[in-house]
Amino acid sequence: MSKPKPKIKKEAVPMSKQDPKKRRRNFNEVAQGYTKEQVVAEAERCLQCAKAPCVKGCPVEVDIPAFIDLIREHKFGEAIKKIKEKNSLPAICGRVCPQEVQCQVYCTMGKVGDPISVGRLERFVADWERKQQPEIPQRPASTGKSVAIVGAGPAGLTAAADLAKLGHEIVVFEALHKPGGVLIYGIPEFRLPKEIVEAEAKYIERLGVKMKMNSLIGRLYTVGELLEQFDAIFIGTGAGLPRFMRIPGENRCGIYSANEFLIRVNLMKAYAFPKSDTPIYVGEKVAVVGGGNTAMDSARCALRLGAKEVRIVYRRSKKEMPVRAEEIENAEEEGIIFEFLTNPRKFIGNERGWVKAMECIRMRLGEPDASGRRRPIPIEGSEFTMDVDTVIIAIGRTPNPIIQQTTEDLQVTKWGTIIADENGKTSIERVYAGGDIVTGEATVISAMGAGKKAAKAIRKYLKKN
Ligand code: FAD
């Protein structure tokens, strides 16, 4: 008689985290990752469904059951190779992808218990490989064709990696001094250590991609000038421009845009002061206006920089927050205070021009708006004053505009995003675009998916011409 199969555990293997009391004052990574035993135990929960429904939730189409099966067999090196066939940034995706609304939504195990923790498994094998020395796939002979990639965010880096693997000459032009886009300047160290972004960008360089930093396209070269030097162009310039509230008092001292705040904390390393010489001022009572990843990251950075009380002021309810569920839980554990259904109306300053309070109003939710979320409606007469000495505005980002302003014939929407078809083709022959610059602010993996689709379309075009 064959041995009965062990019962599959309904609960996911938990991942350990830094103690909230300690981590609220340091920038070390919160989530600690699985051990070897834990990763295998979690992989053993996977049902290996023949139709692999999880794969349809992955914009870059990683063969999820196949890499999980390899983990089950302790073949970590082969598992990471399997992932890298489709995804060149696995340690990043394993940390910041909102799997609960992507691959894990379709997981069969999710119908009877916890879905398989796909991101945690991916993160383990990517970290395991980084400690060894990533293997570089052999490059095919040069095709003699060249592609310029504008912007080194997840969209641009993915397009660059995929095209380099085909033997094309790839040059990435990036405005900042480091590659990574939001991964390097926006998402804080405690969620995504920068050494990981640097290592994954290095891997892409080792595929043969040339990185030209401090190169602002639209100023250094126009798109027209790049078209004279390259066979095709991919634009992945993201949505890095802050949106403001346009209410009285918004220009008072002590009020930051989340973009400025996060760039100074992360890219300019204010968090490492006094080791770095670029500090940032944060008061005792901080309000962060907004409810997305940017708001949450700003709030948790402000807490770590010494604020006594940090409030997230959001005009909708917790259910509508466009943020990874895990990060809401982490923020709550750290003591971030949530003021839901609340919106500022004006900022009140002291005699020296510094913000000292916010006049707010309570909201209720009405019918869904164009975004599908219920529209917040002010409750007249519910105004109140909230004492604050620092405010961070995190209500969204709009597309970076320089390329659009300097490229004749490039069609854009009224919001400034570049118009491109489902393969990234724009209104200009040989020019492709993808990521936040096309969709408006979205996610790392959707930007990577767009970079991948455009790379496929560029490959097809270069084959024919
Ligand atoms: P970006 O990442 O914005 O990269 C664009 C790059 O282009 C930048 O490096 C920029 O400097 C460069 N550039 C711009 N203009 C030019 C030019 N003219 N010439 C040369 N270079 C140029 N998503 C998730 O999935 N999970 C998360 O947890 C998450 N957290 C986030 C936290 C924050 C604080 C923010 C701001 C966003 C977060 N997101 C998250 C969203 C995600 O980071 C973005 O959707 C993603 O980075 C978009 O990728 P991209 O390549 O299109 O653009």
Side-chain angles (χ1 to χ4, degrees):
M1 214 170 65
S2 63
K3 253 193 359 209
K5 276 191 178 170
K7 222 172 140 198
I8 291 180
K9 287 207 174 83
K10 285 187 185 165
E11 298 80 29
V13 175
M15 179 167 61
S16 63
K17 293 195 270 189
Q18 245 202 95
D19 177 355
K21 283 197 202 91
K22 284 194 186 141
R23 71 178 196 239
R24 68 201 294 278
R25 293 294 184 218
N26 72 52
F27 276 79
N28 301 335
E29 194 170 9
V30 170
Q32 308 282 288
Y34 278 156
T35 60
K36 260 188 204 172
E37 292 69 30
Q38 287 172 324
V39 82
V40 172
E42 182 63 8
E44 280 173 349
R45 293 177 61 241
C46 176
L47 299 173
Q48 293 289 310
C49 309
K51 286 195 176 150
C54 47
V55 178
K56 79 170 179 224
C58 175
V60 296
E61 297 168 356
V62 169
D63 188 344
I64 297 169
F67 95 77
I68 294 183
D69 197 32
L70 289 163
I71 292 181
R72 242 173 6 185
E73 293 175 26
H74 296 245
K75 294 179 178 163
F76 304 136
E78 285 180 46
I80 187 64
K81 248 195 226 163
K82 181 54 68 189
I83 296 173
K84 281 190 164 177
E85 284 173 8
K86 296 289 170 87
N87 181 348
S88 299
L89 306 172
I92 292 168
C93 290
R95 285 171 167 81
V96 302
C97 270
Q99 288 96 6
E100 71 271 16
V101 293
Q102 288 170 331
C103 50
Q104 291 183 192
V105 174
Y106 301 97
C107 175
T108 313
M109 266 309 286
K111 293 184 185 143
V112 291
D114 294 335
I116 307 302
S117 307
V118 178
R120 293 174 183 179
L121 300 181
E122 183 181 30
R123 166 190 168 135
F124 176 89
V125 282
D127 289 355
W128 178 89
E129 186 199 41
R130 210 175 44 258
K131 284 176 205 143
Q132 323 294 309
Q133 178 59 275
E135 218 178 277
I136 300 296
Q138 255 197 331
R139 283 194 77 195
S142 169
T143 59
K145 306 272 180 178
S146 62
V147 184
I149 307 283
V150 186
L157 291 178
T158 301
D162 281 16
L163 289 164
K165 284 186 202 161
L166 297 169
H168 302 310
E169 297 302 319
I170 308 299
V171 182
V172 175
F173 295 92
E174 165 56 49
L176 296 173
H177 60 283
K178 283 186 180 180
V182 170
L183 308 172
I184 202 90
Y185 79 72
I187 303 181
E189 187 74 16
F190 55 82
R191 278 214 296 134
L192 178 60
K194 298 308 150 232
E195 65 168 299
I196 287 169
V197 182
E198 280 157 20
E200 298 215 319
K202 252 283 130 349
Y203 168 77
I204 290 171
E205 269 191 275
R206 291 177 62 209
L207 293 174
V209 171
K210 292 194 185 82
M211 302 267 189
K212 292 205 185 282
M213 298 295 107
N214 306 305
S215 305
L216 181 66
I217 298 306
R219 295 287 181 269
L220 181 66
Y221 302 115
T222 62
V223 166
E225 285 166 342
L226 286 181
L227 279 173
E228 289 167 15
Q229 303 169 45
F230 294 88
D231 296 299
I233 299 177
F234 174 78
I235 303 173
T237 43
L241 223 57
R243 220 188 273 271
F244 288 96
M245 299 203 69
R246 300 172 187 274
I247 57 173
E250 204 175 6
N251 59 355
R252 293 195 183 284
C253 303
I255 303 181
Y256 299 97
S257 75
N259 277 53
E260 178 196 344
F261 184 74
L262 289 173
I263 286 176
R264 287 177 62 181
V265 174
N266 297 314
L267 190 66
M268 296 171 70
K269 300 209 180 299
Y271 76 85
F273 181 78
K275 272 194 205 150
S276 77
D277 51 9
T278 46
I280 190 166
Y281 168 78
V282 172
E284 294 192 344
K285 289 187 168 201
V286 178
V288 179
V289 185
N293 281 312
T294 315
M296 203 69 83
D297 284 343
S298 302
R300 295 172 71 198
C301 282
L303 188 73
R304 284 161 170 76
L305 289 167
K308 286 202 174 128
E309 270 180 25
V310 181
R311 289 187 152 70
I312 294 227
V313 178
Y314 181 46
R315 62 193 184 139
R316 291 184 161 101
S317 73
K318 185 173 181 176
K319 203 169 140 221
E320 286 79 30
M321 287 181 94
V323 68
R324 295 179 77 224
E326 193 174 315
E327 302 308 345
I328 301 182
E329 188 187 304
N330 285 339
E332 283 173 340
E333 285 172 1
E334 288 165 14
I336 301 288
I337 305 161
F338 289 83
E339 296 279 356
F340 292 118
L341 294 166
T342 305
N343 210 22
R345 282 213 149 166
K346 74 173 178 194
F347 299 104
I348 302 159
N350 65 17
E351 63 291 346
R352 297 181 57 219
W354 284 79
V355 65
K356 66 169 190 178
M358 261 181 3
E359 186 187 298
C360 298
I361 187 161
R362 298 289 184 197
M363 316 289 280
R364 66 183 173 80
L365 293 180
E367 292 303 310
D369 62 15
S371 72
R373 292 176 302 168
R374 292 178 64 193
R375 184 192 301 275
I377 301 167
I379 303 173
E380 291 311 325
S382 68
E383 292 84 352
F384 69 100
T385 303
M386 186 186 289
D387 288 342
V388 292
D389 52 18
T390 304
V391 176
I392 302 165
I393 310 286
I395 58 165
R397 300 169 293 123
T398 58
N400 287 322
I402 293 177
I403 300 262
Q404 297 87 313
Q405 288 163 359
T406 53
T407 314
E408 243 182 83
D409 300 332
L410 185 64
Q411 281 179 11
V412 295
T413 64
K414 65 176 176 189
W415 301 281
T417 47
I418 295 177
I419 297 175
D421 71 11
E422 72 279 8
N423 297 315
K425 193 169 182 309
T426 70
S427 53
I428 302 179
E429 188 67 10
R430 296 195 284 136
V431 178
Y432 296 76
D436 283 7
I437 192 63
V438 169
T439 55
E441 49 183 332
T443 61
V444 170
I445 196 76
S446 60
M448 290 174 65
K452 218 169 186 50
K453 275 196 179 150
K456 261 190 202 159
I458 293 172
R459 168 202 187 177
K460 244 187 181 168
Y461 170 83
L462 294 179
K463 235 179 168 176
K464 271 205 232 139
N465 297 278

